Amino acid sequence: MATDWHDLPSPPALPGLFAQAALRRGIRGSTLPAFGVRSRVRVEAEQLARYRKVCGYPDNGLLPPTYPHVLLFPLQMALLTDPAFPFPPVGLVHLGNRIRVVRPLGGEGPFVGSVHAAHLQPHEKGALFTLVLRLEDQLGLLWEGESRLLCRGAKVPGTPLEKAPEDPLELTEIDRWQAPADTGRAYARVSGDYNPIHLSALTARLFGFPRAIAHGLWSKARSLAVLNDRLPRAGYVVDVRFQKPLLLPGEAVLFASAPAPHGQFALHGADEVPYLSGNWHQVG
């Protein structure tokens, strides 16, 4: 079914959307809206430089492959806070994330960014759906992302699908780093994602966490910054599954398979707690 696009003159301001998200309560249905939101977006050089620093990316003249998530975050919030969206934004669990870099991510725009929801399906703990993000330039699709989100307690018809396990490759440690207590606040300042579970131990305890936890997309971005030399400039996919939260402060250890067109990686704690696992592969 074709998506009905709601075109916005510019990305909406986040403070108002956060206020709407905080006021949303309860599940309002079991059907995703048939529309998406779309707007022109442009890179701000200063914000990009701060993002590179927080995530460890080099300045190689290209946008980091995870950066379009930041560009499109206001559009994501606009969709999630729309009255027609069935699930409340607060409390959604980010289970996985996939990005596809179609062409080299050069330039600062303007681009056209869009977000819509798809692939609603049952999950053993609720309902699973996907936010589909796209970034386009004058030549067409440049980048695409998919965030798999779980709404606990929601009910949709059907049977939960089980993904076939991937044949594991041999992984070796390639890097480790410390994630200080202010990691969540630093990433929030460059991404706009001020979810309280990431900001301090006090606010995280309100949601059942003993300490603040790192953003999943920061953990993915920090890992891909280390893997940067193993990834091509374009024509590839990176898919990750978020497992356990990285409590702050904490240590992260990155493991990866040998450099190749296809590979796997995993981020663990020093005590072997698995934070995320993922893979990369080239596509035509």
Side-chain angles (χ1 to χ4, degrees):
M1 184 173 60
T3 302
D4 179 21
W5 291 109
H6 292 185
D7 289 303
L8 307 178
S10 61
L14 284 172
L17 296 176
F18 289 147
Q20 294 179 47
L23 295 174
R24 278 287 303 269
R25 292 291 184 273
I27 297 168
R28 299 181 176 181
S30 59
T31 304
L32 296 176
F35 64 84
V37 291
R38 186 167 60 185
S39 174
R40 287 186 174 273
V41 295
R42 179 182 286 276
V43 174
E44 295 182 7
E46 182 178 343
Q47 181 200 36
L48 174 59
R50 290 187 288 118
Y51 179 86
R52 284 195 175 108
K53 182 176 180 180
V54 168
C55 298
Y57 279 110
D59 185 356
N60 61 359
L62 299 175
L63 299 181
T66 50
Y67 186 72
H69 279 290
V70 173
L71 283 178
L72 303 182
F73 184 65
L75 298 183
Q76 294 179 63
M77 289 299 298
L79 181 62
L80 292 174
T81 56
D82 190 280
F85 205 85
F87 309 129
V90 177
L92 293 176
V93 182
H94 198 175
L95 296 185
N97 178 268
R98 177 182 183 272
I99 59 175
R100 178 165 67 104
V101 180
V102 180
R103 290 182 284 113
L105 297 173
E108 297 183 354
F111 305 107
V112 174
S114 64
V115 179
H116 71 280
H119 310 310
L120 181 63
Q121 57 188 279
H123 185 277
E124 61 182 358
K125 295 182 179 180
L128 184 67
F129 67 96
T130 300
L131 284 184
V132 181
L133 295 72
R134 293 166 64 93
L135 192 69
E136 301 177 70
D137 62 10
Q138 307 93 309
L139 300 178
L141 183 63
L142 187 63
W143 176 97
E144 185 174 49
E146 296 181 357
S147 291
R148 299 182 291 277
L149 301 172
L150 170 67
C151 179
R152 295 181 184 270
K155 297 185 182 299
V156 296
T159 302
L161 301 176
E162 294 188 9
K163 187 175 180 179
E166 187 177 24
D167 293 332
L169 301 176
E170 182 179 354
L171 306 183
T172 58
E173 180 182 336
I174 63 170
D175 200 6
R176 64 174 59 207
W177 59 84
Q178 297 295 323
D182 67 347
T183 297
R185 295 189 294 275
Y187 186 76
R189 286 191 290 269
V190 299
S191 69
D193 185 354
Y194 282 90
N195 188 321
I197 63 176
H198 304 302
L199 303 182
S200 71
L202 180 62
T203 55
R205 288 192 194 105
L206 298 175
F207 297 88
F209 296 98
R211 306 197 302 271
I213 66 174
H215 294 72
L217 285 177
W218 175 82
S219 296
K220 178 176 181 177
R222 186 70 182 81
S223 300
L224 294 192
V226 175
L227 294 169
N228 184 67
D229 291 340
R230 304 188 183 208
L231 300 175
R233 284 170 54 89
Y236 66 94
V237 168
V238 179
D239 198 350
V240 303
R241 179 169 62 95
F242 300 117
Q243 295 167 284
K244 300 289 186 179
L246 195 173
L247 296 173
L248 301 172
E251 184 176 27
V253 185
L254 182 64
F255 300 85
S257 58
H262 305 273
Q264 296 172 5
F265 61 98
L267 189 67
H268 291 180
D271 52 2
E272 299 186 357
V273 172
Y275 298 143
L276 64 79
S277 60
N279 63 77
W280 74 85
H281 63 270
Q282 288 185 296
V283 293

